[in-house]
Amino acid sequence: MEALDPPSSAAPTTGSSPGRFTRPHHLSRPGPESSAGDRAFQAAIHGKYPYSFDVALPDAASTSRLQPAVPCVPASQILLYYQNVGGMNSSLAEYQLAYSDACYDIYAFSETWLNNNTLSKQLFNDTYSVYRQDRSTLNSNKTSGGGVLLAIRSCFVSRLLKPPEDSTVEHLWVAISTLSGTIYICVINVPPDRVNDHSLIEKHALSLDWIVSQMDARDSIVILGDFNLGTVSWLSDAHGFFFSDNSRSSFRPASLSLLDAYLTARLQQVNGVLNANNRLLDLCFVGEDLGQSCSVTHAPAPLVKNCRHHSPLLLTLAIDPEKRFQDHAETVFYNFHKGDFERMNNFLANVDWNATLDSGDTNLAASTMCGIIFYAIDQFVSKKLRCKPAKPAWSNSDLKHLKKVKRAALRKHSKYHTDSTKANYVRANNEYRDLNASLYNAHQSHLQSRLKANPKEFWRYVNE
């Protein structure tokens, strides 16, 4: 990777070059306090609830500053997709299909409009750990809209953080362990009617202070979301970082406090992708050390829909996340359809049950009897291997192949950011999307027909 000179701060500083706003002093904020009280978070979801109808074995278990020279594989590179999606409830099936390719390592959304009536499992399978902060009476005067979400590969070591008073802000913090330290990622939504709300900004700044107090020298911060700072214009410096243009910007007191807090934490703005109105509402701030090894560009294609005011972003982080071990071994089950029950019956008939159970201890007798029965099952009932179901359930070999092609195309585009790599990804994405939708519809049709023909399978389907 080509080394760069130390970047100048994207956030304005006192005595900075012309065009940067100046601050006579940094705002004074209280230090971090212990977190307390109930939270509005929905906990991370890992995997499916275990349920089986078999008897298991008794003992079974556009602005690119860097183009990192990294291979087209997940290691040493994290791909993050961000977008203000403007509501997901009306397109849950479309988002579920979009996530099934698992191309991106992290999905970050603002304006999800989700609530308790929508389960995260309706969107993501166990490939991702899902963290949500929905809009509630704690963080808004409105009862609908808003909300933020982070979905992180479940093989990454991640955890939800709870800074003080964070349930009163539409944001959430998640820590991701890497081989060199920890990345603290925050996704935030600042509603238009609260852009000048000092209370909201100060509570967010307090959470940032609390995060900084948890960090060591190897850790980094990423904050991204919809800040609704449409009155602030941004210019790029020599290294591709962005600072506010004082001559064309209008600063409100709350926005000055927000930028001051980020300056104090040594964060720099790295997004320069404008929306259809040539405005910048979605911002991305990263730590100085991380700013030299990341890039933010227009995502080659939206997941589901385009939003005129909010362009989908691709954030590439040249870091190596820590992975947790995931056991994908096949599971062994008894196949009672092929049991030798005649020999089992002879074996059990020849057991001297009176002598075996005559111990005077009821618990010991019951345990001994169960042990003998399980031994008989193990000896006279054949076993079978059950592989983990395909992801998604409607997948086939052609879809798996297109998934690999699409992932490789995205990795290549995140490395080179050229028109040809974008075109290759869009073509692969369209092919995958069309086949995925076709197979999904056929799967749904077959499933509905099967349940109509055999209603008893309905609850099995629900449990699965």
Side-chain angles (χ1 to χ4, degrees), residues 157-301:
V157 180
S158 64
R159 67 186 188 277
L160 179 67
L161 302 174
K162 298 181 179 180
E165 296 192 57
D166 59 352
S167 62
T168 60
V169 184
E170 286 183 34
H171 70 183
L172 58 83
W173 288 91
V174 174
I176 300 177
S177 299
T178 72
L179 298 183
S180 59
T182 301
I183 294 182
Y184 297 90
I185 297 182
C186 173
V187 58
I188 181 173
N189 177 59
V190 181
D193 61 335
R194 301 193 67 186
V195 171
N196 204 33
D197 187 335
H198 267 290
S199 174
L200 181 148
I201 298 303
E202 284 300 302
K203 289 175 181 177
H204 174 63
L206 179 63
S207 73
L208 175 59
D209 286 343
W210 185 85
I211 293 295
V212 171
S213 71
Q214 313 296 312
M215 298 173 59
D216 62 30
R218 301 176 301 169
D219 298 339
S220 301
I221 293 178
V222 175
I223 302 177
L224 70 169
D226 182 5
F227 293 82
N228 277 300
L229 296 181
T231 61
V232 178
S233 297
W234 300 85
L235 294 175
S236 175
D237 64 13
H239 301 288
F241 300 103
F242 293 87
F243 59 92
S244 56
D245 181 1
N246 206 23
S247 62
R248 296 191 300 160
S249 299
S250 174
F251 297 101
R252 298 176 178 177
S255 60
L256 287 175
S257 298
L258 177 68
L259 296 176
D260 179 79
Y262 288 171
L263 172 64
T264 303
R266 304 179 69 84
L267 302 180
Q268 307 185 66
Q269 212 283 101
V270 293
N271 178 35
V273 180
L274 302 175
N275 64 12
N277 298 326
N278 288 323
R279 301 172 70 191
L280 203 58
L281 302 179
D282 301 289
L283 307 177
C284 180
F285 295 85
V286 302
E288 290 182 336
D289 53 340
L290 194 59
Q292 300 183 48
S293 59
C294 76
S295 65
V296 179
T297 59
H298 197 292

Side-chain angles (χ1 to χ4, degrees), residues 48-71:
K48 298 181 177 180
Y49 295 106
Y51 193 93
S52 174
F53 283 87
D54 297 277
V55 178
L57 289 170
D59 299 326
S62 308
T63 304
S64 175
R65 300 180 313 284
L66 286 178
Q67 298 176 354
V70 296

